[in-house]
Amino acid sequence: MPTKKKPTDLLIPPRGMHDILPKETPLWDKLIETTREIADFYNFSRIETPIAERVELFERGVGETTDIVEKEMYFLKTKGGDRLVLRPEMTAPVMRSYLQNGLHRLPQPQRLYYFGPAFRYERPQAGRYRQFHQFGFEIVGGDSDPVYDAEIIAASYRLIESLKIKPLIIEISSIGCRICRPGYRKKLIDYYRGKEICRDCARRLKTNPLRLLDCKKEACQPIKADAPSILDSLCSPCRSHLKQVLESLEEMGLPYTLNPLLVRGLDYYNRTVFEIFVQEEVVGLALASGGRYDYLAEMIGGRPTPGVGVAGGAERIIELMMARRDEIKLPKPRVKIFLVHIGDLAKKRSLALIEEFRRSNIGVISALGKNSLSEQLETANKVGSPLALILGQREVYEESIILRDMQTGVQESVPLKKVVEEVKKRLK
Ligand code: AMP
């Protein structure tokens, strides 16, 4: 029998999901605005895809044996019987949109960016949510020039860095291609066979051997440390690709370390994989991750189309921004005048006056719900308005209004007709 929820339970959001409160939104706005600025500088255009997609897009794109597809998707069944999921990531949707909307017919490659929510049914913990937000940059189409990989890394690195989060480090590797990866897979299977490994690893050995290198269990660490390195198995085009990416990073002054254990949890990657961390904080949690995905388009039924991209975790970055709130330049709230009313007639007249100010692009705060003069003036003081306008019953009859300089307390009566002009003069 379904248990009846206590009334207070209704006030708690779903596990792993959270509200973004007014005290945090200036930081979110800053992150979104900085993403826009970086995107503009590196010439990325905005794209947004639906929150829900067909299950198959991720089953085929992200991979059936990945954690995301095996355990973490939120399923929806529509009344019409469609099987949908809340998107767990945005690269497969962006590629779907690129293929479906004929973006391949535009100049190549297409440089795209996005910002929005993603959903994964993970165990919530610090920095890990079930609804979280990602910004991302993707370079899709054209060829697999390693300079695109470096540009993607640079865009995400510069974005995080400009939010005062540093020192940052890029961990990077190559997971090879269709030619050289099977050989490495075999080496890895041979190496792991017969070793004492955890249950998850035993399963990975059968389904997705590269993910063995992802294991976080203590007991598997020494085995992992001695595993053959993928870097020794790369074919010569993959080795050269990696070398060129690294040279471009050096050219741009971006610090990296090679980490051959980096395999990433999504099947669509080939060649470059990378993660960006801040040193010494939020240990072990990547702020942004990405890589090249030249096979993704084919995996989801499209023509072969190279691509490389990155996704950054907004919540993780916002948390670090909170700790640096004083260093981060937030846009100053615009100066607003304060409109005080006394009595019902003035309250009514205020509504029209507020509209007049809006048309002249002058910000107004009013306390229409409050009636006492002193209460309203106190609010004007608190919000730091330089100027208060006081409209009483007498003023309404006389078609005038009192202008009060909040700093000096000096008051002056001006005709209502001229008040907008008068305020403009004083705010100059
Ligand atoms: P991924 O799509 O797994 O490559 O993740 C890209 C980035 O998204 C990561 O580097 C994290 O910063 C962020 N991220 C991934 N999963 C979560 C989550 N469950 N909660 C918060 N951030 C996440």
Side-chain angles (χ1 to χ4, degrees):
M1 212 172 75
T3 51
K4 232 186 184 171
K5 288 214 158 155
K6 278 186 266 148
T8 47
D9 287 352
L10 293 178
L11 302 183
I12 302 171
R15 206 162 120 74
M17 302 192 178
H18 62 102
D19 301 306
I20 300 172
L21 299 173
K23 68 174 187 322
E24 298 150 1
T25 42
L27 294 177
W28 281 83
D29 291 345
K30 175 76 182 176
L31 173 58
I32 294 168
E33 189 47 38
T34 311
T35 307
R36 206 196 315 271
E37 279 167 19
I38 291 282
D40 177 55
F41 182 79
Y42 291 105
N43 301 304
F44 289 87
S45 308
R46 178 146 175 217
I47 185 166
E48 290 301 336
T49 58
I51 297 280
E53 294 275 358
R54 277 182 233 291
V55 179
E56 295 81 7
L57 177 66
F58 302 107
E59 283 175 350
R60 294 223 227 131
V62 172
E64 296 206 62
T65 59
T66 58
D67 282 352
I68 291 182
V69 171
E70 275 185 347
K71 310 184 225 166
E72 296 173 1
M73 293 206 291
Y74 276 89
F75 289 94
L76 299 173
K77 197 163 165 215
T78 66
K79 284 190 179 156
D82 292 337
R83 286 168 66 235
L84 305 181
V85 285
L86 296 182
R87 60 185 188 192
E89 60 95 56
M90 271 81 109
T91 300
V94 166
M95 184 57 99
R96 178 201 52 66
S97 176
Y98 170 97
L99 294 167
Q100 189 227 336
N101 293 297
L103 299 189
H104 58 276
R105 287 194 291 272
L106 302 175
Q108 298 299 307
Q110 283 282 295
R111 303 165 72 93
L112 306 165
Y113 84 99
Y114 59 78
F115 193 107
F119 304 82
R120 293 184 195 170
Y121 192 78
E122 295 193 80
R123 202 155 58 84
Q125 48 186 290
R128 201 175 291 287
Y129 301 91
R130 290 181 173 176
Q131 177 180 340
F132 56 100
H133 295 73
Q134 288 187 331
F135 62 81
F137 300 96
E138 316 279 356
I139 299 182
V140 188
D143 51 31
S144 317
D145 195 314
V147 80
Y148 297 144
D149 308 44
E151 279 192 288
I152 283 288
I153 297 172
S156 45
Y157 185 99
R158 296 296 179 213
L159 166 54
I160 302 172
E161 180 192 56
S162 68
L163 297 166
K164 310 285 177 211
I165 300 169
K166 46 192 160 190
L168 296 175
I169 188 78
I170 300 159
E171 292 198 5
I172 187 165
S173 184
S174 171
I175 55 168
C177 66
R178 281 172 179 157
I179 311 283
C180 54
R181 209 185 313 167
Y184 176 67
R185 246 175 83 111
K186 189 166 176 309
K187 268 197 210 162
L188 205 57
I189 295 171
D190 289 346
Y191 167 80
Y192 266 88
R193 191 168 288 137
K195 295 226 166 26
E196 279 283 320
I197 47 177
C198 71
R199 248 201 322 185
D200 279 342
C201 280
R203 200 166 45 86
R204 289 180 187 127
L205 190 56
K206 291 201 188 100
T207 57
N208 197 344
L210 248 64
R211 299 294 311 282
L212 287 162
L213 304 179
D214 245 0
C215 183
K216 303 281 181 294
K217 296 250 165 61
E218 203 54 53
C220 295
Q221 298 312 303
I223 308 174
K224 213 168 89 171
D226 285 341
S229 165
I230 190 153
L231 298 177
D232 299 330
S233 296
L234 296 180
C235 59
S236 118
C238 283
R239 198 167 316 132
S240 153
H241 188 97
L242 177 62
K243 186 165 166 274
Q244 289 177 70
V245 175
L246 300 181
E247 281 168 5
S248 301
L249 294 182
E250 280 158 27
E251 208 58 54
M252 290 188 274
L254 297 176
Y256 65 82
T257 54
L258 269 176
N259 176 4
L261 294 177
L262 198 64
V263 284
R264 312 282 295 107
L266 304 92
D267 276 1
Y268 51 57
Y269 288 120
N270 68 309
R271 290 192 170 162
T272 312
V273 287
F274 69 92
E275 297 197 313
I276 300 179
F277 295 89
V278 60
Q279 280 171 337
E280 295 160 42
E281 273 180 276
V282 208
V283 184
L285 287 184
L287 301 179
S289 336
R292 174 159 286 285
Y293 47 85
D294 293 339
Y295 307 136
L296 171 60
E298 289 164 79
M299 286 158 77
I300 62 173
R303 57 172 64 207
T305 309
V308 57
V310 60
E315 277 75 5
R316 292 180 190 178
I317 290 173
I318 295 283
E319 202 171 304
L320 294 165
M321 286 170 75
M322 293 265 198
R324 296 158 174 75
R325 224 184 157 115
D326 298 340
E327 279 174 72
I328 297 171
K329 245 204 260 144
L330 294 175
K332 283 211 178 73
R334 81 167 163 151
V335 174
K336 293 188 177 182
I337 56 168
F338 200 93
L339 178 59
V340 176
H341 70 277
I342 308 155
D344 281 346
L345 195 62
K347 186 172 182 171
K348 233 163 128 190
R349 183 66 182 82
S350 295
L351 293 173
L353 192 56
I354 290 170
E355 289 306 299
E356 257 180 76
F357 280 114
R358 187 184 56 75
R359 281 194 290 275
S360 300
N361 197 23
I362 295 171
V364 186
I365 308 178
S366 60
L368 292 176
K370 290 186 179 147
N371 284 324
S372 98
L373 173 66
S374 61
E375 225 184 329
Q376 293 184 65
L377 281 175
E378 200 185 310
T379 315
N381 245 331
K382 267 195 208 139
V383 298
S385 290
L387 208 57
L389 305 181
I390 303 168
L391 191 63
Q393 190 145 324
R394 191 167 127 210
E395 281 74 28
V396 177
Y397 284 129
E398 289 178 356
E399 286 283 313
S400 69
I401 193 161
I402 296 167
L403 256 161
R404 178 190 173 100
D405 185 315
M406 289 300 290
Q407 214 156 35
T408 60
V410 174
Q411 301 195 161
E412 180 190 343
S413 174
V414 296
L416 251 184
K417 274 205 309 270
K418 295 215 168 130
V419 67
V420 172
E421 247 172 81
E422 196 58 38
V423 166
K424 262 191 202 160
K425 252 193 259 163
R426 295 191 182 220
L427 288 183
K428 257 190 201 149

